Amino acid sequence: MSNHTFTRACAALAITLVAGSSLAAEKKLSVGVADALTGGGAVYGLPQANAVKMAAEEINAAGGIKVGPDVYKIDVIAYDDKANPTEATNAVRKLIDRDGVKYILGFCCSGSTSAVASFIGNEKAVMLVGNAAERSITTKKIPNLVRTRPPADYTGQAAGTFIARKGQKRIAVLGALDVGFYAQYVDSVEREIKKAGGEIIAREVFSLKDRDMTPQLTKIRGLNPDAILVVGYVEPAAFVYRQAVELGMNIPRYGFTSGSEEQFLRVTTSEQMEGVWDLRPTELTLLSASKNGVAYHANYTKKYNASPSPSSPYAYDQLYALKAAIEAAGTVDNTEAVAKALRNLAVPPQVVMQYQPVDGKMFDVNGQAYTSNGAFQWQKGKWVFVEDLPSDSKAYSQFLSTLN
Amino acid sequence: MLIEILQQTINGLAIGGVYVLIALGLTTVFGILGIAHFAHGSISMFGGYLTYFLATSQGLPVLAAIPVALLAGFLLGVLVEILAYRPVRNANHINAFIVALGLTMMVEGINLQLFGHEQVVIPTGLTRVFRLGGITVPELRLYVIVAAIVLVVAMMIFVERTKTGQAIRAVAENRDAAILMGVNVRTIPLIVFGMSTALGVAAGIMVGALFAIAPGIGEGLVVKGFAVLILGGLGSFPGAILGGTVLGITESIAAGFISSAYKDVIAFVVMILVLLIRPQGLLGRAP
């Protein structure tokens, strides 16, 4: 081989290698997000979408998703479903049919999520549900659907035990009881309170758009309850807490809302919130967070100039679970294999929430993950993690498996 | 029981005051120009957002931000009349109807773009609560009720006792006769829209301080405003005042004594019942 030929061969090899590596670098995996980016559900949906984008940037910066010799960089396409079933269906159809997306994350709110869950089983796609807490989403055994947040009644059972232990017997409920998962939460609380000899003496309702809850609270005040339980979205719930104080109701206030300090303080003062309990999954608060949680909080705050909502890591964790499942399945194209890998996945080390694996796996046979539950109390302007609530993920998983 | 009824009445008075202001704005426009001004609720919300913006981002005290927002509301009303409704004044009624719907969507969009999707609460710092017997009245609600009364009285004095007010009433009664009597009918709609929008902005500020301003709230408010108009009698000022107060208190008492789940339904059932007995509304004139 002449020097000239050798040089040309080297050049050709170099070009091939460079071209090859650049082709690998250009491989892109589009991941969809369908979530409430505007409207009443945006307090949960927008932070979830932000969390997915942040996780994608982190994964890309760390080298992407490795599938055999290929490396995929994640591209996030996010659509606003406004927490509305029709909008959610349209958003997901657009992601699948027009954008060719196979993996769809987000899903903060139960109504919109249930609408998508009703047809996702027929699609060659994998759906990862976040904050939506309606139980039936994971009772239908949809093989290509998993959820990072535990169902509401799993948490309600633990909450009921906690309230009963506090000794309050006559509990008045005020909440978004026309939303299935909130009603399920209250039903579970009621079962536990009844076991302890107590009762729910009122079930008053507010809707997502209600901001004046004084009529309901006045009625409740007249019944002289030992405590009130507020279940619903952050914004109306914040008004309940504020208006209860304005009506002079000096009784314990329990809640199931998952709002951040920032979200509550837009409506109430810290003094009006003092002493309120939030009985919910042990989501993100600095006092309860793992090392990952602390880093997540810092990175999110830096990137978006706002604190992350406590439930936003459900979506962040979705992407890390998906990454691990794709790498385990060794494919991005075979969604069935990835869905199977998700159900066999151990909890990835990068996740923020503190999951309680069932038989060593992050998701149980129903596609459901479980976090621990906790009692948080508002103390001097902050949610303070006070204690874990008793939660048996394995027993609940078995119960869930019996439902259709 | 009596205490609960009184408490529910006071609860309802504050929201009733808001309904009255919205309905007064709508009834003025409808009575004089015959326009169903659907964008009124969204423009009210714009006023609330503007007050919030001035008080938070610009650091103005709320008491200083309110008159600025009211003035801006008046000017915005004048602009709306000139740019949106004047061109279709002599056209078929359906044109003004479509303009009103389009304007609603446009203002909602502008609110969303300028102020974002999140709900905002105007920070007043008024957190004291007055107690009398078993009744509690938050300071802010009391001021809202007083402010609504002051605005309504001021509006009534303006319409009844001033020359411009008389001209407005003359145009409402008989436009042609008013022209013959030398009333400048080109400026009357400007004043009417300005006043109406300023009242709407006042209602928006009250909603923003008592509750919250968010996308979509204005639409609900304007529906209630039209319900008040029908309940009180189309084009009747005293009817709007009575209708708004009745609707606010009915909602509160219905939620307290019947069911919070059907709060809105019960209020509208009462409206239908009133209309069955008095089709012209509580204080409307029989045709």
Side-chain angles (χ1 to χ4, degrees):
Chain A
M1 188 187 286
S2 68
N3 276 351
H4 188 63
T5 312
F6 178 74
T7 308
R8 283 167 68 180
C10 284
L13 181 65
I15 288 165
T16 309
L17 283 173
V18 168
S21 64
S22 69
L23 276 177
E26 280 175 17
K27 283 207 168 181
K28 185 177 83 174
L29 176 66
S30 291
V31 165
V33 170
D35 226 324
L37 308 182
T38 61
V43 285
Y44 303 107
L46 190 61
Q48 283 211 147
N50 287 343
V52 172
K53 287 174 191 164
M54 192 171 94
E57 281 177 21
E58 287 172 11
I59 291 170
N60 288 343
I65 299 178
K66 295 173 185 66
V67 181
D70 298 326
V71 173
Y72 287 85
K73 293 290 171 76
I74 302 165
D75 175 44
V76 178
I77 304 171
Y79 290 136
D80 183 8
D81 72 15
K82 300 182 172 71
N84 174 294
T86 310
E87 297 275 357
T89 303
N90 292 341
V92 169
R93 288 255 58 97
K94 209 155 71 172
L95 284 166
I96 295 173
D97 299 335
R98 194 186 72 181
D99 302 321
V101 164
K102 292 188 173 71
Y103 303 100
I104 307 168
L105 289 67
F107 301 104
C108 72
C109 300
S110 292
S112 46
T113 304
S114 297
V116 177
S118 69
F119 67 83
I120 200 72
N122 303 321
E123 302 293 334
K124 289 199 178 306
V126 177
M127 176 178 180
L128 294 98
V129 180
N131 185 59
E134 164 69 40
R135 186 176 63 199
S136 65
I137 292 167
T138 45
T139 57
K140 293 176 186 125
K141 324 282 186 289
I142 300 165
N144 55 341
L145 180 152
V146 295
R147 172 166 59 180
T148 44
R149 179 192 178 137
D153 58 336
Y154 169 71
T155 308
Q157 190 178 11
T161 312
F162 179 81
I163 295 170
R165 218 174 53 212
K166 289 279 177 189
Q168 280 105 30
K169 299 282 184 196
R170 289 161 46 80
I171 312 298
V173 175
L174 177 50
L177 300 180
D178 51 346
V179 178
F181 74 90
Y182 286 124
Q184 287 161 8
Y185 179 95
V186 173
D187 289 344
S188 288
V189 168
E190 185 172 29
R191 273 195 294 276
E192 298 307 312
I193 287 172
K194 274 187 173 168
K195 279 184 203 166
E199 61 177 331
I200 301 274
I201 59 165
R203 281 179 184 246
E204 291 297 320
V205 178
F206 59 70
S207 74
L208 180 58
K209 284 190 175 175
D210 277 348
R211 295 294 180 267
D212 183 12
M213 262 64 83
T214 50
Q216 295 96 311
L217 283 167
T218 301
K219 184 178 179 182
I220 287 172
R221 190 180 69 173
L223 297 171
N224 203 20
D226 295 335
I228 56 169
L229 172 63
V230 182
V231 294
Y233 294 111
V234 182
E235 291 166 338
F239 278 97
V240 175
Y241 291 137
R242 171 175 137 183
Q243 289 162 4
V245 172
E246 288 174 350
L247 285 171
M249 295 174 73
N250 188 21
I251 51 175
R253 292 168 290 167
Y254 298 100
F256 174 53
T257 61
S258 296
S260 68
E261 287 93 354
E262 202 176 312
Q263 288 168 334
F264 276 102
L265 289 175
R266 282 186 204 135
V267 175
T268 66
T269 63
S270 183
E271 290 73 29
Q272 288 167 330
M273 285 295 292
E274 190 66 23
V276 168
W277 290 94
D278 207 25
L279 308 174
R280 56 176 161 88
T282 310
E283 295 166 347
L284 185 74
T285 65
L286 284 178
L287 283 171
S288 69
S290 59
K291 204 171 132 192
N292 288 353
V294 174
Y296 171 82
H297 193 285
N299 294 339
Y300 186 104
T301 307
K302 189 176 168 197
K303 184 170 170 57
Y304 297 110
N305 199 25
S307 300
S309 65
S311 58
S312 60
Y314 287 126
Y316 178 86
D317 293 351
Q318 288 173 338
L319 197 56
Y320 276 103
L322 179 65
K323 172 184 183 286
I326 288 173
E327 288 179 344
T331 174
V332 292
D333 297 319
N334 185 345
T335 53
E336 272 179 44
V338 175
K340 264 185 198 162
L342 271 169
R343 275 178 161 67
N344 288 314
L345 197 69
V347 178
Q350 302 93 338
V351 298
V352 168
M353 297 297 197
Q354 293 162 48
Y355 294 95
Q356 295 185 323
V358 176
D359 297 330
K361 293 167 187 169
M362 179 172 178
F363 299 101
D364 69 3
V365 290
N366 307 297
Q368 181 63 60
Y370 301 92
T371 61
S372 58
N373 293 306
F376 297 80
Q377 191 177 35
W378 190 283
Q379 294 175 7
K380 294 178 184 160
K382 282 188 174 168
W383 286 119
V384 173
F385 174 71
V386 176
E387 62 177 273
D388 270 320
L389 297 175
S391 319
D392 187 342
S393 58
K394 189 159 185 179
Y396 185 87
S397 172
Q398 284 166 356
F399 160 70
L400 199 65
S401 300
T402 65
L403 304 174
N404 287 313
Chain B
M1 185 67 149
L2 179 67
I3 284 178
E4 201 176 324
I5 292 172
L6 285 172
Q7 183 71 62
Q8 295 289 16
T9 305
I10 287 169
N11 295 343
L13 273 178
I15 189 68
V18 173
Y19 292 160
V20 169
L21 293 182
I22 288 285
L24 272 181
L26 286 173
T27 209
T28 317
V29 170
F30 188 83
I32 291 157
L33 305 168
I35 294 169
H37 181 34
F38 295 115
H40 193 57
S42 309
I43 294 176
S44 304
M45 290 302 109
F46 175 82
Y49 275 125
L50 184 64
T51 309
Y52 173 81
F53 171 75
L54 292 171
T56 54
S57 303
Q58 302 303 308
L60 269 186
V62 174
L63 280 179
I66 290 172
V68 175
L70 290 176
L71 182 65
F74 185 91
L75 296 174
L76 188 61
V78 170
L79 264 183
V80 164
E81 202 283 326
I82 294 171
L83 298 177
Y85 290 116
R86 183 166 290 190
V88 295
R89 187 188 296 161
N90 297 320
N92 196 310
H93 277 312
I94 190 76
N95 294 23
F97 182 79
I98 299 295
V99 166
L101 288 180
L103 196 60
T104 308
M105 286 189 265
M106 203 175 89
V107 177
E108 280 287 324
I110 290 171
N111 285 345
L112 202 62
Q113 289 301 318
L114 287 180
F115 304 108
H117 65 276
E118 289 192 354
Q119 75 164 16
V120 298
V121 179
I122 297 170
T124 59
L126 303 171
T127 56
R128 281 186 302 169
V129 177
F130 303 119
R131 290 187 172 80
L132 186 67
I135 297 166
T136 56
V137 187
E139 184 182 18
L140 180 58
R141 280 185 184 244
L142 189 66
Y143 294 151
V144 163
I145 294 168
V146 171
I149 292 170
V150 168
L151 285 171
V152 168
V153 170
M155 172 82 175
M156 294 302 285
I157 289 173
F158 175 75
V159 172
E160 297 289 335
R161 303 278 170 86
T162 65
K163 278 211 159 188
T164 313
Q166 284 171 349
I168 290 172
R169 281 189 293 139
V171 174
E173 289 281 334
N174 190 325
R175 186 185 167 86
D176 295 332
I179 293 170
L180 291 173
M181 297 301 290
V183 173
N184 184 349
V185 290
R186 281 182 70 82
T187 54
I188 293 298
L190 296 176
I191 296 166
V192 166
F193 259 97
M195 260 176 17
S196 156
T197 309
L199 283 178
V201 165
I205 295 167
M206 289 174 182
V207 170
L210 275 176
F211 310 120
I213 311 159
I217 300 251
E219 292 161 23
L221 211 54
V222 87
V223 169
K224 294 280 173 71
F226 275 110
V228 168
L229 235 68
I230 295 163
L231 181 65
L234 280 173
S236 162
F237 279 20
I241 296 164
L242 183 64
T245 312
V246 166
L247 187 67
I249 294 173
T250 306
E251 276 186 1
S252 187
I253 287 185
F257 290 96
I258 303 173
S259 169
S260 50
Y262 302 109
K263 188 172 73 169
D264 290 338
V265 178
I266 292 160
F268 281 98
V269 166
V270 168
M271 189 187 85
I272 291 166
L273 287 176
V274 168
L275 292 181
L276 282 175
I277 301 161
R278 278 186 66 84
Q280 69 271 35
L282 288 171
L283 298 178
R285 284 187 211 152

